[in-house]
Amino acid sequence: MICPICKQAGVRRSRRHSSGDFFLGLVGVYPWRCKNCHGRFHARLMSLSEAMKAHCPICGNHDLKRISGDYVDTSTAFVWRTLRIPAFRCEPCRYKYFSILPMQHHSERDLPLTPAD
């Protein structure tokens, strides 16, 4: 994330100080502080278009692997399996979960180039 004040990279999450900070947190807007200029601002963790695609609820990773629902161990897993909700696994943090959100498709420019025949 880039600081909107000094336009430098290197921001971190700030502590919530007021009831307004807690209220904004309910809708996904969190306080941030810049390490360079020490400015404080509010922003989303990810854009709304990214939030509407399947992502890991722990680390926010979009590179997920589709897995069988049998591998997900939650107390309500049988409900999700019965409803045929897809299950995903986050590679970096190894978290397994169900999500009704669609997977993010990579565009052609993100794919590795292969030599032409």
Side-chain angles (χ1 to χ4, degrees), residues 11-76:
V11 297
R12 61 178 173 80
R13 284 281 304 273
S14 179
R15 293 182 185 257
R16 296 175 182 157
H17 295 295
S18 65
S19 59
D21 287 344
F22 285 98
F23 176 72
L24 288 172
L26 294 175
V27 294
V29 179
Y30 301 105
W32 298 86
R33 187 168 301 276
C34 179
K35 292 179 182 178
N36 298 320
C37 70
H38 303 288
R40 189 171 189 270
F41 59 95
H42 291 81
R44 292 187 168 279
L45 184 61
M46 61 182 70
S47 67
L48 287 176
S49 61
E50 290 178 350
M52 297 309 293
K53 302 290 184 185
H55 60 277
C56 178
I58 294 176
C59 66
N61 181 28
H62 284 280
D63 296 326
L64 304 171
K65 183 177 179 183
R66 181 93 187 261
I67 61 170
S68 171
D70 297 333
Y71 293 112
V72 182
D73 297 326
T74 61
S75 59
T76 59

Side-chain angles (χ1 to χ4, degrees), residues 54-106:
H55 60 277
C56 178
I58 294 176
C59 66
N61 181 28
H62 284 280
D63 296 326
L64 304 171
K65 183 177 179 183
R66 181 93 187 261
I67 61 170
S68 171
D70 297 333
Y71 293 112
V72 182
D73 297 326
T74 61
S75 59
T76 59
F78 69 94
V79 175
W80 299 113
R81 285 186 209 118
T82 305
L83 295 174
R84 297 181 186 253
I85 303 296
F88 299 102
R89 179 178 179 264
C90 177
E91 291 296 325
C93 66
R94 304 177 61 89
Y95 183 66
K96 295 176 262 190
Y97 66 100
F98 291 96
S99 177
I100 60 171
L101 297 174
M103 284 187 73
Q104 182 174 17
H105 295 286
H106 298 287

